Amino acid sequence: MQEQYRTVARAGVHESEINRSRFLCSLAPAATEEEAQDFVARVRKEHPTASHNCFAYVIGADASVQKASDDGEPGGTAGVPMLQMLMRREMRYVVAVVTRYYGGVKLGAGGLIRAYGGVVGEALDALGTLTRQRFRLATIHVDHQRAGKLENDLRATGRDVREVRYAEAVTMEIGLPDGDVEAFTAWLADTTAGTATLELGGDAYGDATA
């Protein structure tokens, strides 16, 4: 698995006007290819009278799925430059749809490539990006007496506390960078006088701390 990846911070739309043509770039995070395709379909439904609704998306932390469509623009002048911009910015799990309303002035192949790629870059700048870090999922089992202080200590040190469950014992689900497991195990033993246990699970991605 990739150690980390970047994606768009939120869904949104950025608009540019180039030689009287309107270019609206709709961007959104997408966890699966199906989500990306659903987003493309929604944007097309919102803009049925547009000249073109071109798209590009990248799915997978390793960019294993990459798709692009020119939607009637000359081949290679829309979807591909959009995809290239997403890849140049190292974006993953993201979908972009650029809706064009033709304004009567032809841009030529070079102009189209600059316009479609450029509006995606502008949209990424406007909406912002975030980094997702690979974590090892881990479960802490601790007694009630120490649970409150331990949870406070975990949050105070910026640990990714995902869930806390109270039963006979207290169970805390956390995320740990792989390189921190050994040091964290020692810290946990020291903090709880050896009474807490740590159970390591699989991998997941979470927001990276600055």
Side-chain angles (χ1 to χ4, degrees):
M1 291 177 74
Q2 299 284 113
E3 283 303 308
Q4 62 182 34
Y5 67 85
R6 293 173 66 197
T7 191
V8 65
R10 59 187 175 88
V13 182
H14 175 77
E15 180 173 346
S16 293
E17 185 175 316
I18 302 168
N19 283 358
R20 298 210 296 267
S21 278
R22 288 175 64 213
F23 290 85
L24 292 87
C25 180
S26 303
L27 272 178
T32 63
E33 186 169 12
E34 185 180 11
E35 274 188 30
Q37 291 170 345
D38 287 347
F39 181 77
V40 172
R42 283 201 305 276
V43 174
R44 283 180 166 163
K45 197 172 179 181
E46 288 171 16
H47 299 280
T49 62
S51 310
H52 308 277
N53 283 292
C54 307
F55 70 80
Y57 56 78
V58 182
I59 306 297
D62 57 354
S64 56
V65 178
Q66 301 176 33
K67 294 283 175 65
S69 166
D70 296 314
D71 193 37
E73 291 281 30
T77 63
V80 169
M82 291 168 62
L83 181 61
Q84 287 173 338
M85 179 60 71
L86 293 176
M87 293 299 293
R88 193 177 307 145
R89 295 290 190 93
E90 298 179 345
M91 301 301 293
R92 306 289 187 265
Y93 292 106
V94 64
V95 54
V97 183
V98 175
T99 301
R100 182 188 183 191
Y101 286 92
Y102 182 57
V105 179
K106 290 188 175 181
L107 300 181
L112 289 172
I113 289 168
R114 285 190 296 275
Y116 278 98
V119 73
V120 172
E122 290 172 12
L124 289 170
D125 291 339
L127 296 173
T129 63
L130 53 82
T131 300
R132 306 274 288 168
Q133 178 77 37
R134 184 166 70 90
F135 288 100
R136 187 77 175 272
L137 296 175
T139 305
I140 299 169
H141 303 279
V142 67
D143 59 48
H144 285 264
Q145 185 181 343
R146 290 181 171 84
K149 181 178 185 307
L150 178 59
E151 184 181 351
N152 288 338
D153 288 347
L154 288 168
R155 295 189 187 280
T157 54
R159 292 295 176 189
D160 177 30
V161 181
R162 292 164 173 249
E163 190 179 356
V164 180
R165 294 190 299 274
Y166 288 86
E168 277 186 36
V170 181
T171 304
M172 300 181 187
E173 304 283 351
I174 65 168
L176 286 174
D178 261 349
D180 286 2
V181 171
E182 191 175 330
F184 180 80
T185 303
W187 174 87
L188 182 66
D190 185 54
T191 301
T192 64
T195 60
T197 60
L198 183 69
E199 187 182 319
L200 296 176
D203 292 313
Y205 285 96
D207 293 346
T209 52

